Amino acid sequence: MKATTTNTHAAPTMTKTPYYKSIGKEEDVFTHAYNNKLPLLLKGPTGTGKTRFVDYMAHQLNSTLITVSCNEETSSTDLIGRYLIKGAETLWIDGPLTTAVKTGAILYLDEIAEARPDVIVAIHALTDHRKELYIDKLGQTIKAHPDFMLVASFNPGYQKGFKELKPSTRQRFVALSFVYPNLKDEVDILVNETQIDTATAKKLVTIAHKIRNLTELGLTETVSTRLLVDAAKLIGTGLPKRLAVKVGIVEPLTDDEDIITALTDLCDLMI
């Protein structure tokens, strides 16, 4: 069974560009990496805008984007391709990596450290001067299209031990670190993304910053901008603010009833 989620879309200029607020020079770095045929690694916590950024840049560059959401079962076969039996025929079906290499798309491997080790081996020759893909089952080597770009992301704070990327792999990429935005930028993101009023957006962001500083709770993940957007959307369609915060921010963070109660009480005082 195929163990990846693959989304492919063209990003022509006539389609609406997804909203993205630049925090630093990440747009410049991406563009220069693209022009120099360099692979790019995005590092940072969940929900800091890595995926949205890649989608935005694909539109900016008028490029096709192919996204693969990696998990522990994602293998090189899932990415490269496989033989399928159709009636009396045996057909070769290109995987998302092969398709991107041939057509000059941007391939985004989301959470690459989650994938099996053979995925890293498969992309090695695409991350150095060779810029080629070897397909063992076909005995073919394919030179990457001039417009092909490899982008990968991972969460170094969450993925420990065997899920950590090896230094030899990391050094094949240009790397960008993503962090949660400052208060003003995050408010702007919420207002632009959900059209919520500024006063409510400020309260949601203040809640997020407060919880992010509560390190003693031992949360595996903290409040992401994505969660704030979800809560803002719920509020924008009429759900009571405190309930929206509870189900959109607090509940996704933990299953511990005591922590849920403590966070809910804290949030109720702030909104």
Side-chain angles (χ1 to χ4, degrees):
M1 181 176 68
K2 195 165 184 177
T4 58
T5 299
T6 306
N7 297 315
T8 308
H9 71 264
T13 54
M14 70 282 295
T15 61
K16 183 180 178 182
T17 302
Y19 176 77
Y20 177 78
K21 184 178 180 63
S22 292
I23 305 301
K25 297 292 185 181
E26 63 268 35
E27 288 188 53
D28 289 342
V29 172
F30 193 106
T31 301
H32 281 271
Y34 179 82
N35 290 337
N36 285 283
K37 319 302 178 191
L38 297 173
L40 181 63
L41 179 66
L42 308 180
K43 306 182 296 179
T46 298
T48 48
K50 300 186 295 296
T51 300
R52 173 61 64 88
F53 172 60
V54 178
D55 195 12
Y56 169 79
M57 289 306 301
H59 278 77
Q60 292 294 93
L61 296 167
N62 198 30
S63 178
T64 297
L65 174 64
I66 299 175
T67 298
V68 177
S69 299
C70 299
N71 59 57
E72 65 276 1
E73 295 183 12
T74 305
S75 68
S76 60
T77 297
D78 294 322
L79 295 186
I80 294 173
R82 66 185 74 226
Y83 282 108
L84 294 178
I85 298 175
K86 186 176 182 180
E89 294 183 285
T90 301
L91 304 176
W92 171 262
I93 304 297
D94 285 339
L97 174 59
T98 305
T99 299
V101 167
K102 287 181 176 180
T103 63
I106 295 173
L107 178 72
Y108 177 46
L109 300 178
D110 189 19
E111 300 294 0
I112 189 173
E114 293 279 355
R116 287 165 44 175
D118 61 320
V119 167
I120 303 299
V121 175
I123 66 172
H124 266 192
L126 290 166
T127 58
D128 58 29
H129 67 281
R130 291 171 289 179
K131 296 293 184 291
E132 61 186 30
L133 173 66
Y134 178 64
I135 304 179
D136 179 62
K137 292 179 181 178
L138 298 179
Q140 295 179 2
T141 298
I142 302 172
K143 282 288 184 181
H145 187 285
D147 294 332
F148 168 76
M149 182 181 187
L150 177 63
V151 183
S153 71
F154 87 116
N155 182 347
Y158 171 71
Q159 293 154 335
K160 301 291 186 181
F162 75 95
K163 290 184 178 180
E164 186 63 78
L165 285 179
K166 294 180 180 178
S168 59
T169 299
R170 295 161 71 107
Q171 291 180 26
R172 291 174 174 270
F173 291 82
V174 173
L176 269 173
S177 291
F178 278 65
V179 295
Y180 295 115
N182 61 40
L183 193 146
K184 180 181 181 302
D185 287 337
E186 202 158 26
V187 169
D188 287 345
I189 290 169
L190 288 190
V191 171
N192 280 278
E193 188 75 16
T194 70
Q195 287 72 57
I196 196 170
D197 64 277
T198 302
T200 302
K202 285 181 178 178
K203 290 179 180 179
L204 290 175
V205 172
T206 300
I207 286 172
H209 281 243
K210 180 68 174 180
I211 295 176
R212 288 168 189 164
N213 290 322
L214 296 176
T215 54
E216 66 272 15
L217 293 180
L219 296 172
T220 303
E221 297 281 0
T222 189
V223 181
S224 67
T225 305
R226 182 187 301 128
L227 290 185
L228 295 184
V229 169
D230 291 345
K233 287 180 178 178
L234 294 173
I235 293 171
T237 54
L239 195 68
K241 292 179 181 179
R242 289 181 175 178
L243 178 57
V245 168
K246 185 174 189 295
V247 300
I249 297 175
V250 175
E251 290 280 0
L253 293 178
T254 180
D255 295 321
D256 186 300
E257 290 297 334
D258 291 336
I259 295 178
I260 288 175
T261 299
L263 289 178
T264 300
D265 291 344
L266 173 67
C267 293
D268 285 351
L269 293 173
M270 300 176 71
I271 196 167

